Amino acid sequence: MGVRNLKTYMNKHLKNGVYPVWMLPAIRKAAKRSRQPLVVIDLMALFGLFCSDKKSMLCGTRVRMIEQQADEFFRRLKEAGARLVFFYDGPPQQAKLTTWTKRQNQKYKDMIAIMDAVDQGQPLHKIANKYSRMPNNTCIKLNHIARKHGPLIIPYSAECDQELAVYAQQHKAFAIITNDTDFLIYEGNWHLWYVDDINLDTLETLEYNRDALRREMDLNWPGMALWATLGGNDFFQYDTVEPFHNSLNGSNKFGKLAQYVRSLPLGNGFSKGIVKQIVQRVYEGRPIPEDAEECLAQSLYFYSTNPSLLSRPMDPMEAFLIEEEQTFVLSILKGTAHNSTTLFFDFRSSQLGNYFDIIVPLIARTAGVILYHRQHEGTDMKVLAKRGHLEPYAEYTVPAIFPTDITPPHLMELLSQDATLQDALKQRKLQLLRWVCSDDVDDGMLQAIPSKLVTTVLTLVTLVRNDALLLFEADLLLSIAHDELNGGMNSNPTIERYPVRVDPRAFRVAFLFQKVYSHIARTAKSFGLPADYCCSVPYDGHRFHNCYAGWRSGQWTMNEGQQGWRLYAPFANQDRVAAAVA
């Protein structure tokens, strides 16, 4: 993310471009000068840090262990004296939608290559070493952990990076922790600590020297914004500017770009005439796209840290939903697209059904509850998703499905924090959550299940009904969930070995379960249900794969006391059950 090749330039070519820093001593030293120095954390960037064990990632990760690592990381920063504030990405902004879509399509291709390697029976260590572009498991709820250690801000109508930079500038942040080189461009006096280089044991990392970069380029902050844009970023794609780079004299790309920027008369800012002149030079000898000037202007705006540019009036409902981190509900109400990505789902095969066909009814019914009393405002929602192997990510309009036998509470009642009202509506909210997943599950039987397992059971109901899971797979996943949530005898995350190889079907099941669970947990949150119904997916990838063959053969089965939780069993395809046993 950020400016193409800038990280490499800082590491290999810029004198004093990076240097090691021990975060805890640096924070303690700063705390002597300023009480509780502010450290702003780009939470999305941390997925790469906590999913860096690629062999474990291929198993679907070990969710509880990762959350423990994250909790410990944040705790140590706070104990050193830091005040933490977290930023987490909201929906993709319209200006970056093309870039987002392109990245998701590439991720799918990368995942197909990895699934092919799994199908060939390659050992996990070989796959982990071979494929560097492995997606992170964003089903892990780092935001749940972050909330315990500081405020969590989810920008909705502006770019997360820009709002983070504005916040850091306004509140005189001591440091930003991220993996995005765009933060080398934003104006500010904070330190830039790079996530990818963090050692979780010593909390040593690399600091990227923003001052050294500016001195070398000899540019002011507006000049740096143009320089970064012409270097190739999410607004001005690299393949767009590469011919321009080749037309400039010199071998140092960033140096010759800086020389070009210094040659421009920018004393009065970026007037329309200057923008037009730059675009004509960049596209010299090539057709100029109609939106080229707009893209350049958007990129320059993106690097501004002027808070007045981001301030805008917000109606009370929008403010409330953002404060409550209900961005999915807000997307439904505002008609903005909700992005629904895949994680190692293979659209080439119908063995696990079709991911799009599994999740869209869940989304449609959730929208039906949210819009039930607002049908005069809208009866559908938009989803950014992939529908088939050869179809790229695209925006789809999904008609809401409205409940007929259950009347949802009004939205403000649904999301009210009033304890008395929450208690009074809890049963109806659970009925609605059940309805989103199934018309046929008995509400009384569902309410008899421990609250922390309800979302797991409804996920398994959804997948079994869609012929995506075999019965033993659902049983195994439920057994693991119970142990993970209740600290059972098999729940110690340190004792599970790495599988050498993983079963191809089990590989796909592990990720499908987590993605569908995340959808249903988000629905539970959207209905204002307590935290027990919205907790992180209770899954341990090592244990799932180590136990898979034993459960498939019938060597291991569910405990007698858990039989009453198998609400998915009546929906199992008996022919497939018999084939699996055989």
Side-chain angles (χ1 to χ4, degrees):
M1 294 183 291
V3 183
R4 182 78 169 265
N5 298 325
L6 183 52
K7 180 185 176 185
T8 301
Y9 175 76
M10 297 288 291
N11 273 277
K12 295 185 176 180
H13 304 294
L14 179 64
K15 185 179 180 181
N16 299 321
V18 299
Y19 51 86
V21 60
W22 282 261
M23 292 188 283
L24 300 186
I27 291 170
R28 293 189 191 105
K29 184 177 179 181
K32 293 178 181 178
R33 302 190 304 269
S34 170
R35 185 173 176 269
Q36 284 195 305
L38 172 63
V39 176
V40 187
I41 297 177
D42 177 0
L43 197 57
M44 188 64 77
L46 292 188
F47 280 100
L49 175 65
F50 294 115
C51 295
S52 59
D53 183 343
K54 298 305 181 185
K55 284 199 299 180
S56 188
M57 174 64 207
L58 289 166
C59 297
T61 61
R62 317 188 69 190
V63 176
R64 188 159 58 96
M65 178 176 281
I66 287 177
E67 291 187 345
Q68 289 172 352
Q69 289 177 338
D71 190 54
E72 175 72 4
F73 174 59
F74 300 146
R75 183 191 62 77
R76 291 173 70 187
L77 294 178
K78 285 183 68 178
E79 287 183 351
R83 176 168 62 93
L84 305 183
V85 174
F86 302 89
F87 276 74
Y88 194 60
D89 286 17
Q93 299 299 305
Q94 191 65 37
K96 282 193 173 183
L97 199 52
T98 300
T99 300
W100 181 89
T101 302
K102 184 177 179 180
R103 283 179 179 158
Q104 295 305 321
N105 290 330
Q106 183 58 52
K107 282 182 182 179
Y108 179 72
K109 293 178 182 178
D110 295 340
M111 288 187 282
I112 286 292
I114 292 170
M115 285 187 278
D116 286 344
V118 170
D119 293 347
Q120 293 162 11
Q122 294 184 24
L124 289 187
H125 72 86
K126 182 176 180 181
I127 300 173
N129 292 334
K130 181 178 180 181
Y131 296 96
S132 58
R133 293 196 303 194
M134 193 176 296
N136 299 317
N137 188 354
T138 52
C139 294
I140 299 164
K141 301 300 181 186
L142 288 183
N143 52 332
H144 290 185
I145 307 301
R147 279 193 214 104
K148 298 192 300 183
H149 298 278
L152 176 67
I153 299 171
I154 304 177
Y156 185 83
S157 298
E159 267 297 321
C160 183
D161 293 351
Q162 187 178 24
E163 288 219 9
L164 191 160
V166 169
Y167 185 93
Q169 177 82 328
Q170 282 184 306
H171 294 84
K172 298 180 172 57
F174 170 66
I176 292 175
I177 298 177
T178 185
N179 64 352
D180 195 329
T181 54
D182 280 328
F183 288 95
L184 290 163
I185 312 304
Y186 288 114
E187 183 176 1
N189 295 317
W190 23 263
H191 300 273
L192 183 60
W193 293 344
Y194 216 72
V195 164
D196 295 353
D197 301 299
I198 292 176
N199 181 314
L200 282 173
D201 293 325
T202 64
L203 294 197
E204 178 188 1
T205 189
L206 290 180
E207 176 162 339
Y208 279 63
N209 193 336
R210 304 165 73 245
D211 292 333
L213 178 63
R214 276 192 65 215
R215 284 195 301 269
E216 181 69 16
M217 298 302 116
D218 191 21
L219 295 170
N220 59 16
W221 291 113
M224 289 295 291
L226 176 58
W227 175 83
T229 301
L230 297 178
N233 62 7
D234 287 349
F235 297 90
F236 245 44
Q237 298 291 307
Y238 186 76
D239 54 2
T240 294
V241 295
E242 188 176 19
F244 167 64
H245 297 168
N246 296 334
S247 72
L248 297 173
N249 294 323
S251 58
N252 179 341
K253 178 185 80 172
F254 290 117
K256 60 187 183 181
L257 283 174
Q259 185 177 7
Y260 169 74
V261 172
R262 290 194 300 269
S263 73
L264 295 170
L266 300 180
N268 296 320
F270 295 102
S271 64
K272 287 186 178 180
I274 286 291
V275 168
K276 185 174 183 178
Q277 175 186 334
I278 294 168
V279 166
Q280 288 176 338
R281 177 63 184 88
V282 168
Y283 285 94
E284 189 173 31
R286 295 179 291 155
I288 300 177
E290 290 184 5
D291 64 346
E293 292 181 23
E294 181 184 357
C295 288
L296 179 63
Q298 285 176 340
S299 182
L300 296 172
Y301 165 81
F302 168 71
Y303 288 116
S304 171
T305 54
N306 183 346
S308 65
L309 295 176
L310 298 181
S311 61
R312 60 180 185 82
M314 193 181 299
D315 66 59
M317 174 63 79
E318 184 175 348
F320 168 76
L321 293 174
I322 290 175
E323 178 68 23
E324 295 298 317
E325 299 172 26
Q326 293 282 4
T327 55
F328 179 60
V329 175
L330 187 56
S331 293
I332 295 172
L333 296 182
K334 290 178 69 70
T336 52
H338 165 70
N339 61 298
S340 180
T341 58
T342 65
L343 188 60
F344 290 109
F345 188 87
D346 190 347
F347 282 100
R348 297 172 299 181
S349 168
S350 60
Q351 188 181 57
L352 302 183
N354 181 292
Y355 181 71
F356 184 88
D357 294 338
I358 293 171
I359 57 112
V360 162
L362 302 175
I363 294 172
R365 289 192 172 205
T366 304
V369 173
I370 301 302
L371 294 172
Y372 187 85
H373 296 286
R374 294 169 170 261
Q375 295 182 44
H376 60 285
E377 297 178 8
T379 58
D380 56 40
M381 72 169 295
K382 294 181 175 62
V383 178
L384 285 167
K386 185 174 178 64
R387 195 166 62 175
H389 178 63
L390 298 178
E391 298 181 56
Y393 275 83
E395 182 176 291
Y396 298 95
T397 298
V398 175
I401 299 174
F402 297 98
T404 55
D405 297 330
I406 314 167
T407 302
H410 286 271
L411 184 58
M412 293 305 287
E413 293 178 331
L414 201 66
L415 300 178
S416 171
Q417 298 298 313
D418 181 80
T420 302
L421 187 58
Q422 283 185 336
D423 288 342
L425 293 177
K426 183 179 177 182
Q427 184 173 348
R428 199 174 353 156
K429 291 179 182 181
L430 277 173
Q431 290 174 336
L432 288 166
L433 182 64
R434 185 272 305 157
W435 170 79
V436 166
C437 302
S438 171
D439 292 313
D440 303 315
V441 168
D442 181 79
D443 287 319
M445 295 179 69
L446 185 66
Q447 290 174 23
I449 293 173
S451 57
K452 287 185 176 181
L453 283 174
V454 166
T455 302
T456 297
V457 170
L458 288 175
T459 301
L460 299 175
V461 166
T462 300
L463 291 171
V464 172
R465 281 177 59 90
N466 281 277
D467 283 340
L469 286 189
L470 298 170
L471 200 52
F472 84 86
E473 293 167 337
D475 289 345
L476 171 56
L477 288 165
L478 181 56
S479 178
I480 290 173
H482 176 258
D483 278 347
E484 286 294 293
L485 292 169
N486 295 281
M489 61 180 295
N490 297 318
S491 67
N492 186 342
T494 63
I495 62 175
E496 286 288 348
R497 60 179 174 80
Y498 289 95
V500 177
R501 293 174 176 81
V502 293
D503 178 272
R505 177 182 168 87
F507 178 83
R508 291 159 169 82
V509 164
F511 291 103
L512 179 60
F513 167 70
Q514 293 185 67
K515 289 295 286 187
V516 175
Y517 179 98
S518 294
H519 277 282
I520 296 173
R522 181 170 48 242
T523 294
K525 178 179 173 65
S526 300
F527 292 174
L529 280 162
D532 279 359
Y533 300 90
C534 321
C535 60
S536 299
V537 56
Y539 174 82
D540 184 301
H542 292 203
R543 187 144 28 105
F544 176 72
H545 288 287
N546 287 335
C547 295
Y548 189 82
W551 281 70
R552 179 172 54 193
S553 67
Q555 178 183 351
W556 299 320
T557 57
M558 293 196 74
N559 295 333
E560 188 67 31
Q562 299 172 355
Q563 293 293 326
W565 304 339
R566 300 170 77 237
L567 304 190
Y568 46 82
F571 307 112
N573 183 320
Q574 294 306 313
D575 292 337
R576 298 185 75 206
V577 171
V581 172

